Amino acid sequence: PNDCAGPGTDRLVDALVRWGDVETVLARIDEHHQAGADHVCVQVVGAPGDIPLAEYRALAAALSH
């Protein structure tokens, strides 16, 4: 199937967006670094109008170590 047709397929979204807890996200970031990335963009996605401060704080704390 064409993963980019229309809104995109679930497979495309799963390849682009890492869902889960902090450890899952950190593992994905590490995968990018192991593949040679020297920069990885991280964005917390929440409900429209929601500011996910707790999630940003948890991720920031994990990344600062």
Side-chain angles (χ1 to χ4, degrees):
N2 183 350
D3 291 324
C4 296
T9 63
D10 287 346
R11 182 172 72 169
L12 176 65
V13 172
D14 288 341
L16 297 173
V17 178
R18 180 54 58 190
W19 306 90
D21 58 18
V22 171
E23 290 77 23
T24 301
V25 173
L26 291 177
R28 180 63 170 189
I29 292 169
D30 188 54
E31 289 175 17
H32 285 290
H33 286 143
Q34 293 299 319
D38 60 3
H39 290 77
V40 178
C41 178
V42 179
Q43 179 178 356
V44 176
V45 178
D50 181 30
I51 300 174
L53 291 178
E55 290 84 355
Y56 274 121
R57 287 183 178 123
L59 193 54
L63 291 170
S64 67
H65 289 87

